[in-house]
Every structure is written in C-alpha cells, then in structure tokens.
Amino acid sequence: MRWVPESPEVAEVAPPDVAGLSIEPLVRAAEAGTPPSTDAVDGFLHGRAVPVVDGSQVTFVFRGEADDVRLRHWVYGLQTATSLHRLEGTDLWYDVLELPEGSRVEYKFEVVRGGDVQWVNDPLNPHRARDPFGANSVCHGAGYAVPEWTRPDPESPSGSLEDRLFRSRALGGSRRVTIYRPARFRETRRYPLLLVHDGGDYLAYAGLQTVLDNLIHRLEIPGMIAALMHPPDRMEQYRGSEAHSRYLVEELLPDLEAALPVQGTRAGRCLMGASLGAVASLSTAVRYPDVFGSLLLQSGSFAFSDIGGHGRGPVFDPIADFVNAYRRAPKRVADKVFVSCGMYESLIYENRSLVPVLERTGMEVRFEEARDGHNWENWRDRLRLGLSWLMPGPLWLVYD
C-alpha cells in the first residue's frame, strides 16, 4: 500500500542557498543580470549525473518551458510538493534538498503548462524504479549504490520458475503460485521453504529471482524452494484475514509439502511479505504459532492506536484490530523475526513500535532501517541481510 501525500499544497519557498554547489556559477550569473546562455546551460548538463549530488545537498533540475515545475516525492516528513525555481532568462529549473548520506528517493516532476498538469519522470535521469503503479525516477544520494548482489551475475546459475494453481476452499476458487527451484535442484534433497506474499511483485519489482540465484550461489543462504503467491485481491486477503491464514497453512502448505522435496519442519519454513503482505505474514503466524520458524516483515502496515483512532482511515480498521490485540497479548510465533522499514515512510513509527513488542516474547528479532521509502527497491536492498540472517547458508555470515 503506497503512502499517499496528505496535502496537495505546494510549498512556496525562497530560492535555496547554492553556495559551494555545482549549480552556483549559473545562479550567480543570473543574479548578476547576465543569464547563462543556452550553451552554458548545455555545458552544465553535459555528462553530468542528475540530480546533482554535492555531498548531502542534492540539486534537482528540469529543463523546458512551463508555468510551474514541482518536485513530488514520497519522503514522509518533508513537503510533498515544492516548486522549482526558474533560473532567470533560461529554461532551467532547480531546487535543492538536503538528503543525508545513504538516501535513496523516488520522485516525479509535476509540470504545469497552460492549466494542464502532468506528472512526468525526470527526462535527464535514467534511473527508474518500477512498481504496480508504473515507474518513478530515482535519486541516489551520496553514499548510496545499487547493491551488486541485486544485479544478474553471469557466474550465478539460474533457478527455475513454474506456475501452478492450487484449489482453496477457504478463499474459494483457485490461487496461482509460482514455484522457484534453485539451480542444481535435486528431487532427492530436502530444501527449506520460503513462502512469499505478493511473490509476483517481488519477482517483477524487487528482482527476487536474481537475488535468490546470487545469494544461493555465494553460499550466503542455502538452496531453497520459494512459493510466490499472486493474490487476486490483496486488500481483502492481506488485512489480517482469517480465511487467508487458513488457506495458507491448512491448504497451500500441505499441498506444497506433498508435492515438493521440502524439509517440512518449523525450522525449515520462512514466511515473508511487505506492506500488507507483512501484516498477512504476522497475522498468519499469530494464528498458527507452531508452523513457521522465521518471519521476514518489510514495512508492515501495522496500524495501531494507544487511545482513540489509528488515523489511517477505515481500510486499516481490521489491521488495527489485529495489531492492538497482539500488542495487548503478544506471544511467541516464530524463533527469529527480521523487520525492516524505511526512515522516509509514514509507517516507520508503527514498525519501530512493533519491535520491542516482538522482543518481549523471547523471539530473536533484528530490525533494520534504511534511508528510503515505501517501495520495492527498498525491500529488495534489505533481502540479503534479512534472508541470510534468518536462513544462513554454508558461508555462515557473522553479524555483530
């Protein structure tokens, strides 16, 4: 579930301080009444990565005729829309944000021309992140780099994918599940089983197959079978639904363990998901506390209230009912739980609040924060740490 900006208001702010930044010579020239020429603007942009990162100061630029250009992003805590400043006498627009080291931010430009408003990706920035809603431009702040283990490695042999349909009495009808088998799969072996909510999205937007191939090849996790679920209606299934939990544990899991060479033990099962998928994972483990040895929960939509309402609208009511009940009577539902969330998400408070509740049950809990938002590449970037901590491979990574 994507966080939707609460206020469409556009912030009117003074031009930023550009002292020491790459764009300063252009701004100073314009301020002195000698606007940079087209060639000067071309020269500034030529071969330069944009947004322009000068340490923790990041300059967003847009070039073109418009009545207004606004930066739209999903960083909770900052203004959701700020107008860029037009460099006098040019068609170059700019604004500066302070982004701490390691930040990764997805954004678009809102371009206003003659009363028409259009959201566009940054035409000067080739970095894109895709999600079920389309694509966003991506700003890599200082110190952030796409992890090399998320990229296809020609030395990592590929696992295989197979789609299957499973009948469900609990949910009615059939449900599609994609089965991932590791490279060098053998029917005679017994593998751990990873059950993945929104598995199709993890494949499409978080590169899950590549991540599994690489981590298995590097011995950071064991060879494993993954069952990647494709919910037809995640809003109905994933908000703490009892029927979904029953389907997963009493129908899908027995069918998978009958059909595939998996270990079939609590320690050999991991359940994971992001956003609503994290809610579905935890609520299922709470209903069936003896089934899963480990949980991987990413940016869970764990709405709750200490008093009054939860403030997130009626769609979150069943989630808040579940989380409030669990906070009142927490219990051990797995051996190890990995929780991650982006600092720039509106859900960071809920996820931080959940961690001590989980720890009080005696479960081993690891919590990881990142300077990122509620998106698939944030979740992708946390997979190595989460999976290798929950299910370490022969390499046996050592953590502090």
Side-chain angles (χ1 to χ4, degrees):
M1 180 178 295
R2 163 163 286 181
W3 167 66
V4 178
E6 294 178 354
S7 171
E9 295 180 357
V10 180
E12 297 290 343
V13 296
D17 181 3
V18 297
L21 304 185
S22 299
I23 200 171
E24 181 180 11
L26 296 185
V27 175
R28 298 296 181 233
E31 290 174 345
T34 54
S37 66
T38 298
D39 287 345
V41 174
D42 289 342
F44 169 73
L45 294 174
H46 180 70
R48 191 184 298 273
V50 296
V52 183
V53 178
D54 293 297
S56 63
Q57 302 293 105
V58 178
T59 304
F60 291 81
V61 296
F62 178 86
R63 195 172 191 189
E65 291 300 327
D67 300 318
D68 194 9
V69 180
R70 301 159 185 162
L71 175 65
R72 304 299 299 254
H73 55 72
W74 292 270
V75 178
Y76 185 71
L78 296 180
Q79 287 284 347
T80 60
T82 54
S83 286
L84 274 64
H85 306 273
R86 185 165 188 163
L87 198 62
E88 189 67 27
T90 76
D91 60 355
L92 188 68
W93 303 70
Y94 74 99
D95 196 18
V96 179
L97 283 186
E98 181 169 355
L99 294 178
E101 186 172 350
S103 293
R104 181 188 166 282
V105 171
E106 298 191 8
Y107 68 99
K108 285 184 183 294
F109 287 128
E110 186 179 44
V111 181
V112 182
R113 294 187 180 98
D116 292 330
V117 179
Q118 187 178 16
W119 286 46
V120 300
N121 284 311
D122 185 343
L124 299 175
N125 180 2
H127 299 299
R128 298 282 190 275
R130 297 185 304 118
D131 63 23
F133 305 98
N136 294 315
S137 294
V138 184
C139 170
H140 296 170
Y144 175 84
V146 177
E148 51 85 20
W149 50 267
T150 67
R151 303 182 188 278
D153 180 349
E155 295 188 2
S156 298
S158 297
S160 64
L161 298 176
E162 176 197 6
D163 277 355
R164 290 191 178 188
L165 292 178
F166 292 84
R167 299 286 299 176
S168 174
R169 294 182 300 278
L171 298 175
S174 298
R175 291 294 182 273
R176 176 186 165 208
V177 177
T178 300
I179 307 298
Y180 168 87
R181 293 179 176 83
R184 305 187 184 93
F185 171 81
R186 298 289 184 273
E187 285 284 352
T188 53
R189 294 180 181 172
R190 289 293 177 267
Y191 295 91
L193 178 62
L194 177 67
L195 291 113
V196 186
H197 288 98
D198 294 312
D201 288 343
Y202 266 104
L203 286 175
Y205 309 121
L208 181 59
Q209 182 178 5
T210 298
V211 171
L212 291 175
D213 288 343
N214 286 342
L215 297 185
I216 291 170
H217 175 68
R218 301 174 191 201
L219 306 181
E220 297 187 23
I221 61 175
M224 66 179 64
I225 292 174
L228 312 169
M229 292 176 272
H230 303 260
D233 184 356
R234 65 192 301 275
M235 290 296 290
E236 184 61 32
Q237 252 179 270
Y238 284 4
R239 292 182 298 157
S241 161
E242 185 276 335
H244 172 73
S245 298
R246 185 154 37 92
Y247 153 70
L248 202 161
V249 174
E250 298 185 19
E251 298 176 345
L252 178 61
L253 186 59
D255 285 348
L256 289 170
E257 294 188 342
L260 298 166
V262 293
Q263 295 170 355
T265 63
R266 185 173 188 268
R269 302 183 191 116
C270 178
L271 182 60
M272 66 174 282
S275 193
L276 290 178
V279 174
S281 297
L282 181 59
S283 61
T284 296
V286 169
R287 290 190 176 95
Y288 297 89
D290 299 322
V291 174
F292 301 101
S294 56
L295 303 176
L296 199 163
L297 311 176
Q298 299 194 288
S299 304
S301 305
F302 297 122
F304 71 94
S305 60
D306 290 314
I307 188 170
H310 51 77
R312 289 189 172 273
V315 72
F316 281 85
D317 285 351
I319 298 173
D321 290 344
F322 156 66
V323 177
N324 286 344
Y326 186 71
R327 286 167 57 87
R328 285 193 297 272
K331 63 181 181 181
R332 184 185 182 96
V333 298
D335 297 323
K336 300 174 75 173
V337 184
F338 181 88
V339 182
S340 71
C341 192
M343 296 180 190
Y344 302 156
E345 301 184 47
S346 67
L347 290 164
I348 187 65
Y349 170 72
E350 285 83 350
N351 281 266
R352 286 173 176 162
S353 299
L354 179 66
V355 171
V357 177
L358 297 172
E359 290 174 332
R360 284 200 296 273
T361 69
M363 293 186 289
E364 193 175 356
V365 180
R366 186 180 178 108
F367 180 46
E368 184 74 10
E369 295 184 354
R371 292 194 177 279
D372 208 324
H374 196 76
N375 61 69
W376 286 99
E377 294 194 356
N378 174 16
W379 303 330
R380 175 200 65 188
D381 289 359
R382 314 276 87 75
L383 286 175
R384 180 190 191 192
L385 186 59
L387 290 172
S388 61
W389 183 72
L390 293 171
M391 297 184 290
L395 186 62
W396 287 99
L397 294 179
V398 177
Y399 296 97
D400 293 332

